Amino acid sequence: MNRLDFKNDQELISQLRKGSPVAFQALFEKYSSKIYRFSVSYLKTESDAEEIVQEVFLKLWENRSRLKSGTSFQSYLFTVALNDIRKNFLKKTRENKFYFEIFETLSAEDPDLETRTDFGSLLAKLDSLIEQLPPRRKEIFIKKKKEEQAVAEIALEMGISPKTVENQITEAMKFLKKSFEADQISGMLFYFLVIS
Amino acid sequence: MERKIDFRIIKNYTEGKYSFRDFKLIIGWFEDYSYRSEIEAALQKHWDELPLQHTETEKDLSQVFERLQKQIMNDKPVFTLRQRVVQFYARTAAVLLLPLLCYAIYTLFPGKVPPQTAAIEIYSPLGARTRFQLPDGSNGWLNSGAHLSYISDFEKERQVKLSGEAFFDVVHHAQKPFVVTTPQLKIEVLGTKFNVAAPEGESFTEVVLAEGKVRLTGRTADFSQLLDPDEKFVFDQQKKRGEITRVNAAQLTAWKDGILIFRNEPLEEVFKRLGRWYNVRFELDNEQLRSYRFRATFENETVEEVVRLIALTVPISWEMQERVMSPDGIWSPKIIQVKLKDNIPKQEGKR
């Protein structure tokens, strides 16, 4: 709807300090989009970026009485957003550690995987490939790679021999490797066809 | 080990062009404390270059704002340590006292312990709408500042008390009428959809029926009246009488969906509804102004924007008085004084 930029930041902030929800909403309308676009470019998922927007503004509201009028409001937003983005980025990195370990293994044999500049889509592809594994194989693979369980433990838990566990993991890795190779060949083929 | 971070890699990363190797570098920079200020500088540069508004399709963040509003509304008051300690002891004492109290009641009034009927209250914060659901499955919306209460054995008697504005969608139950009482009216229904506005501090109560049938009975005046769909009943406390007019119920109940619709309505009526919506008191000083007809639909605008938009079609100027806190800590509502503009074209509303 029509956005009327009728108040400057200082005015809005002095009203926010007094607890004005209207000023809070005006600031949200003015700055939320920038914070969102900034966050999504580092965190790469919409829900994470939305979370940052929410956290930044929640902190703004909670600290409204301590806001200083002299300093730039934009640099205040930046500082809060940066801290939240850093935290979220590191948390996500820890959660996704097993994806990176798989890529480490795969790129040891296929160095191209390490330098292809579409790593974002490679990650998405890996995720969907794991989903495509037969249910039992997938379960074993996740237990080993993501939950970092020992082979013997998985074998005991699932009532199968350690050998079977190892075989399942080898098969899964083989499947991933093959799929990425095929992907690359078709990519090259595409490149070849388009160029020639 | 290299001590400098490569801004280009980060820039490409933000644009989605990055390899596994780049990504590992970036993770390292974020993790390693010695890169902290450099990372900050790189991101600061990016932030400074980013425009406020995006030219292409803008991401809709209204849901994020709604979540925020809810979080903010639930803001718990902050207690000091001393208060917390006192609270802790008070609570503990209350818990310890309870069995004693029960025993006392039991021995002092054998067999006469009253049934436990606690009142349940729903309060809609100022400037927000609140959805409610009742134990019988009936539901609805409370408008800004409205207050609804009922007793816990609601299933036996479907009775609620209301102050402020609410929309009800009542589940049909032939044996158990649903009764809404406001300070001035009693509204009895079997199963319908209707809107009641009994604003605190106002001398009128308004009922709009969307579906079904309701019976209205006066509490301060002696009357009984049936209402049909698309009829509006306004009871005037000063004149002690009510009046029925034909209306479009869908328009008058659209507030529950976050939309305000006005179709050829007198300005007085428009400001009355806007006031309820935004928790603002409009003061019109001109009789002629009250009867100006107005037509518009508002959705998600701030009150300032709405008044500005009205001023585009109606010759008004306005002045806004900020809320002030009285010595007892209660905020007065925001007051907007609306005046008829002089014939000489002057500047728009002063602020």
Side-chain angles (χ1 to χ4, degrees), chain A residues 1-2 24 31 33-34 36-38 41-42 44 46 50 54 61 74 78 82 90 100 104 114 116-117 119-120, chain B residues 13-14 18-21 23-24 31 40 43-44 46-47 50-52 58-59 67 71-72 75 299 301 304 309:
Chain A
M1 302 235 91
N2 40 358
F24 180 71
Y31 291 108
S33 154
K34 177 165 172 172
Y36 174 81
R37 277 176 285 120
F38 186 65
S41 65
Y42 293 95
K44 305 293 182 195
E46 294 194 357
E50 280 180 16
Q54 195 172 339
W61 178 260
Q74 283 236 39
F78 169 73
L82 172 71
L90 293 175
F100 308 141
E104 208 65 75
E114 211 188 358
R116 277 176 56 175
T117 56
F119 185 59
Chain B
Y13 169 71
T14 63
Y18 61 107
S19 66
F20 182 33
R21 187 177 289 166
F23 194 55
K24 282 189 286 186
E31 276 175 344
E40 200 172 316
L43 267 71
Q44 175 89 59
H46 178 201
W47 171 263
L50 210 60
L52 272 186
E58 197 77 79
K59 164 89 181 166
R67 286 203 294 268
Q71 278 179 299
I72 288 169
D75 244 5
E299 194 177 350
E301 265 100 344
E304 287 90 346
L309 291 170

Short mmCIF file of all heavy atoms in Angstrom, two decimals, chain A residues 1-2 24 31 33-34 36-38 41-42 44 46 50 54 61 74 78 82 90 100 104 114 116-117 119-120, chain B residues 13-14 18-21 23-24 31 40 43-44 46-47 50-52 58-59 67 71-72 75 299 301 304 309:
data_model
loop_
_atom_site.label_atom_id
_atom_site.label_comp_id
_atom_site.label_asym_id
_atom_site.label_seq_id
_atom_site.Cartn_x
_atom_site.Cartn_y
_atom_site.Cartn_z
N MET A 1 0.85 -1.19 0.00
CA MET A 1 0.00 0.00 0.00
C MET A 1 0.89 1.25 0.00
O MET A 1 2.10 1.16 0.03
CB MET A 1 -0.88 -0.01 1.25
CG MET A 1 -1.75 -1.25 1.36
SD MET A 1 -3.47 -0.83 1.52
CE MET A 1 -4.01 -0.79 -0.15
N ASN A 2 0.24 2.37 -0.01
CA ASN A 2 1.07 3.58 -0.11
C ASN A 2 1.90 3.79 1.15
O ASN A 2 1.43 3.76 2.26
CB ASN A 2 0.21 4.81 -0.38
CG ASN A 2 -1.05 4.78 0.42
OD1 ASN A 2 -1.28 3.80 1.14
ND2 ASN A 2 -1.85 5.79 0.35
N PHE A 24 7.10 2.10 16.08
CA PHE A 24 7.73 0.79 15.92
C PHE A 24 7.35 0.18 14.57
O PHE A 24 8.19 -0.30 13.83
CB PHE A 24 7.28 -0.13 17.06
CG PHE A 24 7.87 -1.51 17.00
CD1 PHE A 24 9.21 -1.71 17.26
CD2 PHE A 24 7.07 -2.59 16.68
CE1 PHE A 24 9.76 -2.98 17.20
CE2 PHE A 24 7.61 -3.86 16.62
CZ PHE A 24 8.96 -4.06 16.88
N TYR A 31 12.62 -0.53 7.52
CA TYR A 31 13.92 -1.22 7.53
C TYR A 31 13.86 -2.74 7.41
O TYR A 31 14.88 -3.37 7.18
CB TYR A 31 14.69 -0.84 8.80
CG TYR A 31 15.15 0.59 8.80
CD1 TYR A 31 14.54 1.53 9.62
CD2 TYR A 31 16.16 1.02 7.95
CE1 TYR A 31 14.94 2.86 9.61
CE2 TYR A 31 16.56 2.33 7.93
CZ TYR A 31 15.95 3.25 8.76
OH TYR A 31 16.35 4.54 8.74
N SER A 33 12.78 -4.80 5.24
CA SER A 33 13.14 -5.40 3.95
C SER A 33 14.66 -5.43 3.77
O SER A 33 15.23 -6.42 3.30
CB SER A 33 12.49 -4.60 2.83
OG SER A 33 13.22 -4.74 1.65
N LYS A 34 15.31 -4.36 4.16
CA LYS A 34 16.77 -4.32 4.01
C LYS A 34 17.43 -5.39 4.90
O LYS A 34 18.32 -6.11 4.45
CB LYS A 34 17.28 -2.93 4.38
CG LYS A 34 18.79 -2.82 4.32
CD LYS A 34 19.28 -1.39 4.32
CE LYS A 34 20.80 -1.35 4.45
NZ LYS A 34 21.35 -0.02 4.27
N TYR A 36 16.11 -8.08 5.92
CA TYR A 36 15.79 -9.40 5.36
C TYR A 36 16.73 -9.74 4.21
O TYR A 36 17.33 -10.82 4.18
CB TYR A 36 14.33 -9.43 4.89
CG TYR A 36 13.98 -10.71 4.17
CD1 TYR A 36 13.67 -11.86 4.89
CD2 TYR A 36 14.02 -10.79 2.78
CE1 TYR A 36 13.39 -13.04 4.25
CE2 TYR A 36 13.74 -11.96 2.13
CZ TYR A 36 13.42 -13.09 2.87
OH TYR A 36 13.15 -14.26 2.22
N ARG A 37 16.88 -8.79 3.26
CA ARG A 37 17.72 -9.07 2.10
C ARG A 37 19.18 -9.26 2.50
O ARG A 37 19.89 -10.10 1.96
CB ARG A 37 17.58 -7.95 1.06
CG ARG A 37 16.34 -8.14 0.19
CD ARG A 37 16.13 -6.99 -0.77
NE ARG A 37 15.63 -5.83 -0.07
CZ ARG A 37 16.25 -4.66 -0.02
NH1 ARG A 37 17.42 -4.51 -0.63
NH2 ARG A 37 15.73 -3.66 0.63
N PHE A 38 19.61 -8.48 3.49
CA PHE A 38 20.97 -8.62 4.00
C PHE A 38 21.17 -10.01 4.60
O PHE A 38 22.11 -10.73 4.28
CB PHE A 38 21.20 -7.53 5.05
CG PHE A 38 22.61 -7.44 5.57
CD1 PHE A 38 23.65 -7.08 4.74
CD2 PHE A 38 22.89 -7.71 6.90
CE1 PHE A 38 24.95 -6.98 5.21
CE2 PHE A 38 24.19 -7.61 7.39
CZ PHE A 38 25.22 -7.25 6.53
N SER A 41 21.17 -13.14 2.20
CA SER A 41 22.34 -13.32 1.35
C SER A 41 23.46 -14.06 2.08
O SER A 41 24.34 -14.64 1.45
CB SER A 41 22.83 -11.97 0.81
OG SER A 41 23.29 -11.17 1.86
N TYR A 42 23.42 -14.10 3.40
CA TYR A 42 24.42 -14.88 4.14
C TYR A 42 23.88 -16.24 4.60
O TYR A 42 24.60 -17.22 4.60
CB TYR A 42 24.92 -14.11 5.37
CG TYR A 42 25.69 -12.88 4.95
CD1 TYR A 42 25.07 -11.65 4.86
CD2 TYR A 42 27.03 -12.98 4.57
CE1 TYR A 42 25.75 -10.54 4.41
CE2 TYR A 42 27.72 -11.87 4.12
CZ TYR A 42 27.08 -10.65 4.04
OH TYR A 42 27.76 -9.57 3.57
N LYS A 44 21.04 -17.83 3.43
CA LYS A 44 20.57 -18.60 2.28
C LYS A 44 19.21 -19.28 2.46
O LYS A 44 18.81 -20.05 1.59
CB LYS A 44 21.60 -19.66 1.85
CG LYS A 44 22.99 -19.11 1.58
CD LYS A 44 23.02 -18.21 0.37
CE LYS A 44 24.42 -17.71 0.07
NZ LYS A 44 24.39 -16.57 -0.87
N GLU A 46 15.02 -18.56 3.61
CA GLU A 46 14.04 -17.54 3.95
C GLU A 46 13.70 -17.55 5.43
O GLU A 46 13.60 -16.51 6.07
CB GLU A 46 12.75 -17.75 3.14
CG GLU A 46 12.96 -17.52 1.66
CD GLU A 46 11.65 -17.39 0.91
OE1 GLU A 46 10.59 -17.53 1.54
OE2 GLU A 46 11.71 -17.16 -0.31
N GLU A 50 14.03 -14.49 8.02
CA GLU A 50 12.86 -13.95 8.73
C GLU A 50 13.12 -13.93 10.23
O GLU A 50 12.73 -13.00 10.94
CB GLU A 50 11.62 -14.80 8.45
CG GLU A 50 10.98 -14.50 7.11
CD GLU A 50 9.76 -15.36 6.85
OE1 GLU A 50 9.23 -15.98 7.80
OE2 GLU A 50 9.35 -15.43 5.68
N GLN A 54 12.97 -10.77 12.82
CA GLN A 54 12.16 -10.81 14.04
C GLN A 54 13.02 -10.51 15.27
O GLN A 54 12.65 -9.72 16.12
CB GLN A 54 11.53 -12.19 14.15
CG GLN A 54 10.40 -12.24 15.18
CD GLN A 54 9.67 -13.57 15.13
OE1 GLN A 54 9.72 -14.28 14.13
NE2 GLN A 54 8.98 -13.91 16.20
N TRP A 61 12.67 -3.32 20.26
CA TRP A 61 11.56 -2.99 21.15
C TRP A 61 11.99 -3.12 22.61
O TRP A 61 11.69 -2.26 23.44
CB TRP A 61 10.36 -3.89 20.85
CG TRP A 61 9.19 -3.63 21.77
CD1 TRP A 61 8.83 -4.36 22.86
CD2 TRP A 61 8.26 -2.55 21.69
NE1 TRP A 61 7.73 -3.80 23.45
CE2 TRP A 61 7.36 -2.68 22.77
CE3 TRP A 61 8.10 -1.47 20.81
CZ2 TRP A 61 6.32 -1.80 22.99
CZ3 TRP A 61 7.06 -0.58 21.03
CH2 TRP A 61 6.18 -0.75 22.12
N GLN A 74 20.77 3.29 11.51
CA GLN A 74 21.16 2.21 10.59
C GLN A 74 22.35 1.42 11.11
O GLN A 74 22.41 0.21 10.96
CB GLN A 74 21.50 2.80 9.22
CG GLN A 74 20.28 3.18 8.43
CD GLN A 74 20.26 2.48 7.07
OE1 GLN A 74 20.63 1.32 6.97
NE2 GLN A 74 19.83 3.18 6.06
N PHE A 78 22.56 -2.50 12.00
CA PHE A 78 23.61 -3.35 11.42
C PHE A 78 24.29 -4.18 12.51
O PHE A 78 24.48 -5.39 12.36
CB PHE A 78 24.64 -2.49 10.68
CG PHE A 78 25.87 -3.26 10.30
CD1 PHE A 78 25.86 -4.19 9.29
CD2 PHE A 78 27.06 -3.07 11.00
CE1 PHE A 78 26.99 -4.92 8.95
CE2 PHE A 78 28.20 -3.79 10.68
CZ PHE A 78 28.16 -4.73 9.65
N LEU A 82 24.21 -8.10 12.48
CA LEU A 82 25.48 -8.81 12.29
C LEU A 82 25.68 -9.88 13.35
O LEU A 82 26.02 -11.03 13.04
CB LEU A 82 26.64 -7.81 12.31
CG LEU A 82 28.04 -8.43 12.30
CD1 LEU A 82 28.34 -9.06 10.95
CD2 LEU A 82 29.11 -7.41 12.64
N LEU A 90 26.99 -19.72 12.34
CA LEU A 90 27.84 -20.73 12.97
C LEU A 90 27.03 -21.92 13.44
O LEU A 90 27.47 -23.06 13.35
CB LEU A 90 28.62 -20.10 14.14
CG LEU A 90 29.66 -19.06 13.71
CD1 LEU A 90 30.29 -18.39 14.92
CD2 LEU A 90 30.73 -19.70 12.83
N PHE A 100 29.30 -31.19 4.80
CA PHE A 100 30.63 -30.75 4.36
C PHE A 100 31.61 -31.92 4.40
O PHE A 100 32.49 -32.02 3.55
CB PHE A 100 31.13 -29.59 5.23
CG PHE A 100 30.13 -28.46 5.33
CD1 PHE A 100 29.92 -27.79 6.52
CD2 PHE A 100 29.36 -28.10 4.23
CE1 PHE A 100 28.98 -26.77 6.61
CE2 PHE A 100 28.42 -27.08 4.31
CZ PHE A 100 28.23 -26.42 5.51
N GLU A 104 33.79 -33.31 1.43
CA GLU A 104 35.23 -33.47 1.59
C GLU A 104 35.65 -34.82 1.01
O GLU A 104 36.60 -34.92 0.23
CB GLU A 104 35.57 -33.37 3.08
CG GLU A 104 36.96 -32.86 3.40
CD GLU A 104 37.19 -31.42 2.97
OE1 GLU A 104 36.68 -30.51 3.65
OE2 GLU A 104 37.86 -31.23 1.94
N GLU A 114 35.14 -29.32 -5.59
CA GLU A 114 35.56 -28.32 -4.63
C GLU A 114 35.57 -26.91 -5.21
O GLU A 114 35.46 -25.92 -4.48
CB GLU A 114 36.97 -28.66 -4.10
CG GLU A 114 37.16 -28.20 -2.69
CD GLU A 114 38.60 -28.36 -2.23
OE1 GLU A 114 39.43 -28.85 -2.99
OE2 GLU A 114 38.87 -27.94 -1.08
N ARG A 116 33.68 -25.94 -8.10
CA ARG A 116 32.47 -25.51 -8.84
C ARG A 116 31.78 -24.39 -8.06
O ARG A 116 31.57 -24.50 -6.86
CB ARG A 116 31.51 -26.69 -9.00
CG ARG A 116 31.88 -27.57 -10.18
CD ARG A 116 30.99 -28.77 -10.25
NE ARG A 116 29.56 -28.41 -10.32
CZ ARG A 116 28.61 -29.31 -10.48
NH1 ARG A 116 28.91 -30.59 -10.58
NH2 ARG A 116 27.35 -28.94 -10.53
N THR A 117 31.41 -23.32 -8.76
CA THR A 117 30.89 -22.15 -8.05
C THR A 117 29.38 -22.20 -7.83
O THR A 117 28.76 -21.19 -7.56
CB THR A 117 31.23 -20.85 -8.80
OG1 THR A 117 30.73 -20.96 -10.12
CG2 THR A 117 32.72 -20.59 -8.81
N PHE A 119 28.01 -24.14 -5.41
CA PHE A 119 27.97 -25.00 -4.24
C PHE A 119 26.58 -25.00 -3.59
O PHE A 119 26.14 -26.01 -3.05
CB PHE A 119 29.03 -24.57 -3.22
CG PHE A 119 29.13 -25.47 -2.04
CD1 PHE A 119 29.44 -26.82 -2.19
CD2 PHE A 119 28.89 -24.99 -0.75
CE1 PHE A 119 29.52 -27.66 -1.10
CE2 PHE A 119 28.96 -25.84 0.35
CZ PHE A 119 29.29 -27.18 0.17
N GLY A 120 25.90 -23.87 -3.66
CA GLY A 120 24.54 -23.79 -3.11
C GLY A 120 23.64 -24.87 -3.67
O GLY A 120 22.95 -25.58 -2.93
N TYR B 13 29.76 -14.75 -2.59
CA TYR B 13 28.96 -15.64 -1.76
C TYR B 13 27.56 -15.06 -1.56
O TYR B 13 26.55 -15.75 -1.70
CB TYR B 13 29.64 -15.86 -0.41
CG TYR B 13 28.77 -16.55 0.62
CD1 TYR B 13 28.45 -17.90 0.47
CD2 TYR B 13 28.24 -15.87 1.71
CE1 TYR B 13 27.64 -18.54 1.38
CE2 TYR B 13 27.43 -16.50 2.63
CZ TYR B 13 27.13 -17.84 2.47
OH TYR B 13 26.32 -18.47 3.38
N THR B 14 27.49 -13.76 -1.26
CA THR B 14 26.17 -13.16 -1.03
C THR B 14 25.32 -13.20 -2.30
O THR B 14 24.11 -13.16 -2.24
CB THR B 14 26.28 -11.69 -0.57
OG1 THR B 14 26.90 -10.93 -1.60
CG2 THR B 14 27.06 -11.56 0.72
N TYR B 18 29.49 -19.31 -5.32
CA TYR B 18 30.58 -19.68 -4.43
C TYR B 18 30.81 -21.18 -4.51
O TYR B 18 29.89 -21.96 -4.74
CB TYR B 18 30.29 -19.26 -2.99
CG TYR B 18 29.07 -19.90 -2.38
CD1 TYR B 18 29.19 -20.90 -1.41
CD2 TYR B 18 27.78 -19.51 -2.75
CE1 TYR B 18 28.08 -21.49 -0.84
CE2 TYR B 18 26.66 -20.11 -2.19
CZ TYR B 18 26.82 -21.09 -1.24
OH TYR B 18 25.71 -21.67 -0.68
N SER B 19 32.07 -21.56 -4.34
CA SER B 19 32.42 -22.97 -4.40
C SER B 19 32.56 -23.52 -2.97
O SER B 19 32.53 -22.76 -2.01
CB SER B 19 33.75 -23.16 -5.12
OG SER B 19 34.78 -22.57 -4.35
N PHE B 20 32.70 -24.81 -2.89
CA PHE B 20 32.90 -25.47 -1.60
C PHE B 20 34.15 -24.89 -0.93
O PHE B 20 34.14 -24.58 0.26
CB PHE B 20 33.07 -26.98 -1.83
CG PHE B 20 33.23 -27.79 -0.58
CD1 PHE B 20 32.58 -27.42 0.61
CD2 PHE B 20 34.01 -28.95 -0.57
CE1 PHE B 20 32.73 -28.18 1.75
CE2 PHE B 20 34.15 -29.71 0.57
CZ PHE B 20 33.51 -29.33 1.74
N ARG B 21 35.17 -24.64 -1.73
CA ARG B 21 36.41 -24.09 -1.18
C ARG B 21 36.17 -22.68 -0.60
O ARG B 21 36.60 -22.36 0.50
CB ARG B 21 37.49 -24.04 -2.27
CG ARG B 21 38.86 -23.64 -1.74
CD ARG B 21 39.91 -23.68 -2.83
NE ARG B 21 40.23 -25.04 -3.24
CZ ARG B 21 40.91 -25.35 -4.35
NH1 ARG B 21 41.31 -24.39 -5.17
NH2 ARG B 21 41.19 -26.61 -4.63
N PHE B 23 33.41 -21.52 0.46
CA PHE B 23 32.55 -21.64 1.63
C PHE B 23 33.35 -22.03 2.86
O PHE B 23 33.14 -21.51 3.95
CB PHE B 23 31.44 -22.66 1.35
CG PHE B 23 30.32 -22.61 2.35
CD1 PHE B 23 29.65 -21.42 2.59
CD2 PHE B 23 29.94 -23.74 3.06
CE1 PHE B 23 28.61 -21.36 3.52
CE2 PHE B 23 28.91 -23.69 3.98
CZ PHE B 23 28.25 -22.50 4.20
N LYS B 24 34.32 -22.95 2.66
CA LYS B 24 35.15 -23.34 3.80
C LYS B 24 35.96 -22.16 4.32
O LYS B 24 36.13 -21.98 5.52
CB LYS B 24 36.06 -24.50 3.39
CG LYS B 24 35.32 -25.82 3.35
CD LYS B 24 36.25 -27.01 3.16
CE LYS B 24 36.73 -27.06 1.73
NZ LYS B 24 37.52 -28.28 1.44
N GLU B 31 34.41 -18.21 12.02
CA GLU B 31 34.70 -18.93 13.26
C GLU B 31 35.89 -18.33 14.00
O GLU B 31 35.93 -18.31 15.22
CB GLU B 31 34.99 -20.41 12.96
CG GLU B 31 33.73 -21.25 12.86
CD GLU B 31 34.02 -22.67 12.44
OE1 GLU B 31 35.14 -22.96 11.94
OE2 GLU B 31 33.12 -23.51 12.59
N GLU B 40 33.51 -7.89 9.94
CA GLU B 40 32.58 -6.81 10.23
C GLU B 40 32.69 -5.72 9.17
O GLU B 40 31.68 -5.20 8.69
CB GLU B 40 32.87 -6.23 11.62
CG GLU B 40 31.70 -5.49 12.18
CD GLU B 40 31.92 -5.08 13.63
OE1 GLU B 40 32.40 -5.92 14.41
OE2 GLU B 40 31.60 -3.93 13.94
N LEU B 43 31.06 -6.89 5.92
CA LEU B 43 29.60 -6.87 5.98
C LEU B 43 29.06 -5.45 6.07
O LEU B 43 28.02 -5.13 5.52
CB LEU B 43 29.09 -7.73 7.14
CG LEU B 43 28.76 -9.17 6.74
CD1 LEU B 43 30.02 -9.96 6.44
CD2 LEU B 43 27.95 -9.88 7.80
N GLN B 44 29.82 -4.61 6.76
CA GLN B 44 29.41 -3.20 6.88
C GLN B 44 29.33 -2.56 5.49
O GLN B 44 28.38 -1.84 5.17
CB GLN B 44 30.41 -2.43 7.74
CG GLN B 44 30.13 -0.94 7.84
CD GLN B 44 29.20 -0.59 8.98
OE1 GLN B 44 29.51 -0.86 10.14
NE2 GLN B 44 28.07 0.01 8.66
N HIS B 46 28.86 -4.06 2.65
CA HIS B 46 27.70 -4.62 1.98
C HIS B 46 26.42 -3.93 2.46
O HIS B 46 25.58 -3.51 1.68
CB HIS B 46 27.65 -6.13 2.26
CG HIS B 46 26.47 -6.83 1.67
ND1 HIS B 46 26.02 -8.03 2.14
CD2 HIS B 46 25.63 -6.49 0.66
CE1 HIS B 46 24.96 -8.41 1.44
NE2 HIS B 46 24.71 -7.50 0.54
N TRP B 47 26.30 -3.79 3.79
CA TRP B 47 25.12 -3.17 4.40
C TRP B 47 24.94 -1.73 3.89
O TRP B 47 23.83 -1.32 3.54
CB TRP B 47 25.26 -3.19 5.91
CG TRP B 47 24.23 -2.41 6.66
CD1 TRP B 47 24.34 -1.15 7.15
CD2 TRP B 47 22.91 -2.85 7.04
NE1 TRP B 47 23.19 -0.78 7.79
CE2 TRP B 47 22.30 -1.80 7.75
CE3 TRP B 47 22.20 -4.05 6.83
CZ2 TRP B 47 21.00 -1.89 8.26
CZ3 TRP B 47 20.91 -4.14 7.35
CH2 TRP B 47 20.32 -3.07 8.04
N LEU B 50 23.57 -1.50 0.43
CA LEU B 50 22.24 -2.07 0.19
C LEU B 50 21.17 -0.98 0.31
O LEU B 50 21.11 -0.27 1.30
CB LEU B 50 22.00 -3.16 1.24
CG LEU B 50 21.11 -4.34 0.91
CD1 LEU B 50 21.65 -5.11 -0.27
CD2 LEU B 50 21.02 -5.26 2.12
N PRO B 51 20.30 -0.82 -0.71
CA PRO B 51 19.26 0.21 -0.61
C PRO B 51 18.15 -0.23 0.36
O PRO B 51 18.02 -1.42 0.66
CB PRO B 51 18.72 0.31 -2.03
CG PRO B 51 18.98 -1.04 -2.62
CD PRO B 51 20.24 -1.56 -1.98
N LEU B 52 17.40 0.75 0.83
CA LEU B 52 16.30 0.44 1.77
C LEU B 52 15.20 -0.35 1.08
O LEU B 52 14.71 -1.33 1.62
CB LEU B 52 15.69 1.74 2.30
CG LEU B 52 16.32 2.34 3.54
CD1 LEU B 52 15.49 3.51 4.00
CD2 LEU B 52 16.41 1.30 4.65
N GLU B 58 9.08 -7.27 -3.58
CA GLU B 58 9.51 -7.18 -2.19
C GLU B 58 8.96 -8.37 -1.42
O GLU B 58 7.82 -8.76 -1.61
CB GLU B 58 8.98 -5.87 -1.61
CG GLU B 58 9.64 -5.43 -0.35
CD GLU B 58 11.01 -4.79 -0.61
OE1 GLU B 58 11.05 -3.63 -1.01
OE2 GLU B 58 12.01 -5.48 -0.39
N LYS B 59 9.77 -8.92 -0.55
CA LYS B 59 9.32 -10.03 0.28
C LYS B 59 8.26 -9.53 1.28
O LYS B 59 8.43 -8.46 1.88
CB LYS B 59 10.55 -10.57 1.02
CG LYS B 59 10.26 -11.44 2.19
CD LYS B 59 10.14 -12.87 1.77
CE LYS B 59 9.82 -13.71 3.00
NZ LYS B 59 9.36 -15.04 2.67
N ARG B 67 3.93 -11.80 14.20
CA ARG B 67 4.56 -12.58 15.28
C ARG B 67 5.18 -11.65 16.32
O ARG B 67 5.07 -11.88 17.52
CB ARG B 67 5.63 -13.50 14.69
CG ARG B 67 5.06 -14.69 13.93
CD ARG B 67 6.08 -15.83 13.86
NE ARG B 67 7.23 -15.50 13.06
CZ ARG B 67 7.33 -15.76 11.76
NH1 ARG B 67 6.35 -16.35 11.12
NH2 ARG B 67 8.41 -15.45 11.10
N GLN B 71 4.55 -11.25 20.36
CA GLN B 71 5.62 -11.33 21.37
C GLN B 71 5.62 -10.09 22.25
O GLN B 71 5.81 -10.16 23.45
CB GLN B 71 6.97 -11.44 20.67
CG GLN B 71 7.29 -12.85 20.23
CD GLN B 71 8.61 -12.89 19.52
OE1 GLN B 71 8.79 -12.25 18.49
NE2 GLN B 71 9.55 -13.61 20.06
N ILE B 72 5.42 -8.94 21.61
CA ILE B 72 5.48 -7.69 22.34
C ILE B 72 4.30 -7.56 23.30
O ILE B 72 4.44 -7.11 24.42
CB ILE B 72 5.53 -6.51 21.36
CG1 ILE B 72 6.90 -6.48 20.70
CG2 ILE B 72 5.25 -5.20 22.04
CD1 ILE B 72 6.99 -5.55 19.54
N ASP B 75 4.78 -9.16 26.49
CA ASP B 75 5.83 -8.58 27.31
C ASP B 75 5.49 -8.69 28.78
O ASP B 75 4.50 -8.15 29.25
CB ASP B 75 5.94 -7.08 26.98
CG ASP B 75 7.29 -6.77 26.37
OD1 ASP B 75 8.05 -7.72 26.15
OD2 ASP B 75 7.55 -5.59 26.14
N GLU B 299 -6.55 -1.00 4.58
CA GLU B 299 -5.98 -2.27 5.01
C GLU B 299 -4.56 -2.00 5.44
O GLU B 299 -3.75 -1.50 4.66
CB GLU B 299 -6.02 -3.26 3.84
CG GLU B 299 -5.77 -4.68 4.30
CD GLU B 299 -5.88 -5.66 3.15
OE1 GLU B 299 -6.33 -5.27 2.07
OE2 GLU B 299 -5.51 -6.82 3.38
N GLU B 301 -3.10 0.25 7.13
CA GLU B 301 -2.50 1.57 7.19
C GLU B 301 -2.36 2.03 8.64
O GLU B 301 -3.07 1.57 9.52
CB GLU B 301 -3.35 2.60 6.45
CG GLU B 301 -2.90 2.82 5.04
CD GLU B 301 -3.73 2.08 4.03
OE1 GLU B 301 -4.48 1.15 4.42
OE2 GLU B 301 -3.66 2.41 2.86
N GLU B 304 -2.16 7.70 10.97
CA GLU B 304 -1.75 8.95 10.31
C GLU B 304 -2.02 8.86 8.80
O GLU B 304 -2.51 9.81 8.19
CB GLU B 304 -0.27 9.23 10.53
CG GLU B 304 0.09 9.70 11.92
CD GLU B 304 0.42 8.54 12.84
OE1 GLU B 304 0.12 7.37 12.48
OE2 GLU B 304 0.97 8.78 13.93
N LEU B 309 -5.24 10.19 4.03
CA LEU B 309 -6.01 9.76 2.86
C LEU B 309 -7.41 10.36 2.87
O LEU B 309 -7.94 10.74 1.84
CB LEU B 309 -6.08 8.22 2.83
CG LEU B 309 -4.75 7.54 2.53
CD1 LEU B 309 -4.84 6.04 2.76
CD2 LEU B 309 -4.32 7.81 1.09
#
